[in-house]
Amino acid sequence: MTEREPHPRVLVTTGGASGIGLEVCRRWAADEGVAILLDIDSDNLDAAVDLIGKNARGVVVNVRDSSSVDEAFSVITDEFGQIDALVNSAGNSCPSPTAEMSDGDWESVIDIHLNGTMRVCRAAYPLLKAAGGAIVNVSSVAGVLGMPQRASYNSAKHAIGGLTKSLAVEWAAEGIRVNSVGPGYVLTTLTRKLIADGALDTEPVTRRTPLGRWARPGEIADGIGFLLSNQASFITGHTLMIDGGMTIDGNWYSD
């Protein structure tokens, strides 16, 4: 009797068609896992799946719509029956003075970052339970700092830390670990375009970061990969800051 082939490890990533999410999926697939990319942008999704190759799958999902999320996980259930890892990386930003912020702008950011993360975790729970899987939610330095004209983004990212801790405690009995990462400023395709267009100034961020530079997407993916791995088997409910020291810098006191 021949030995049965092991089932490939399955990762699901929201916001998987670009930035940090894409880099996480690319690395997972390169390690012979199956990377399922969830994203609302079908064109970017197709391009990302083509880039990664045979170990990638793409599913168009709107994380603001529970039925869309549930339908995606129904498809994943039918094909795989379990998932080993989940990364919630979908996000947006609508900076504006809080006194002028519309309900729509506020609700959009909260709904995508916080409510979307909850919806996806909820839908993924049975599949993660079957595998004893791990979740990493993407927070931010904005999850521990107060930033002007970012009230919705700050609020959502702070709340993701609370959601992460709650799920870590609630789902521990099922063997599901839940952590988050707090990236600093990252040189993604989007931020590079903003810099090139003059819409984003790198100098204040670089000056504020003790390591004196922006992160590369791979450096954030490294942290996420660690938290998903067996090397982090006794870590849950933790936020790993990957910010070049931005959020712990007390150097202002020495002046």
Side-chain angles (χ1 to χ4, degrees):
M1 184 174 68
T2 59
E3 186 175 342
R4 186 178 179 180
E5 285 291 321
H7 196 287
R9 284 172 53 80
V10 179
L11 163 76
V12 175
T13 301
T14 70
S18 61
I20 294 167
L22 175 57
E23 182 62 16
V24 170
C25 291
R26 188 190 68 76
R27 291 177 177 220
W28 187 275
D31 199 32
E32 297 305 315
V34 174
I36 303 173
L37 289 65
L38 307 185
D39 207 283
I40 196 170
D41 188 323
S42 58
D43 290 339
N44 278 353
L45 189 59
D46 289 343
V49 170
D50 288 344
L51 175 69
I52 294 173
K54 64 181 180 65
N55 289 340
R57 310 280 194 280
V59 182
V60 176
V61 174
N62 179 2
V63 298
R64 300 188 68 181
D65 182 347
S66 291
S67 61
S68 176
V69 172
D70 291 344
E71 182 178 344
F73 278 92
S74 177
V75 170
I76 294 167
T77 300
D78 289 344
E79 184 168 357
F80 296 102
Q82 68 178 53
I83 60 175
D84 300 276
L86 170 67
V87 175
N88 284 294
S89 185
N92 68 332
S93 181
C94 297
S96 70
T98 305
E100 302 170 12
M101 184 180 295
S102 70
D103 285 357
D105 285 346
W106 168 269
E107 290 163 2
S108 170
V109 174
I110 297 296
D111 205 23
I112 291 173
H113 287 270
L114 178 59
N115 300 343
T117 295
M118 187 282 294
R119 291 183 187 106
V120 172
C121 287
R122 181 179 62 194
Y125 168 76
L127 299 176
L128 290 163
K129 181 179 179 180
I135 299 171
V136 174
N137 300 320
V138 177
S139 183
S140 167
V141 292
V144 295
L145 296 174
M147 304 171 75
Q149 301 189 23
R150 301 291 192 282
S152 55
Y153 190 78
N154 273 171
S155 298
K157 292 303 190 182
H158 275 73
I160 283 174
L163 177 62
T164 296
K165 292 174 184 177
S166 182
L167 295 183
V169 173
E170 185 175 346
W171 292 353
E174 278 73 48
I176 301 171
R177 294 184 302 104
V178 188
N179 292 290
S180 63
V181 294
Y185 283 75
V186 185
L187 285 171
T188 63
T189 300
L190 174 60
T191 56
R192 288 182 187 277
K193 182 178 186 306
L194 292 172
I195 292 165
D197 292 345
L200 185 58
D201 185 0
T202 62
E203 197 278 330
V205 175
T206 302
R207 186 176 65 246
R208 179 67 176 77
T209 304
L211 288 183
R213 62 176 178 84
W214 289 40
R216 298 181 292 273
E219 292 175 306
I220 312 304
D222 283 340
I224 293 172
F226 166 70
L227 289 173
L228 294 175
S229 76
N230 289 333
Q231 291 177 305
S233 58
F234 205 59
I235 301 174
T236 196
H238 177 72
T239 296
L240 175 63
M241 302 306 298
I242 313 175
D243 63 356
M246 176 180 279
T247 55
I248 54 87
D249 184 17
N251 194 47
W252 57 270
Y253 186 73
S254 64
D255 292 339

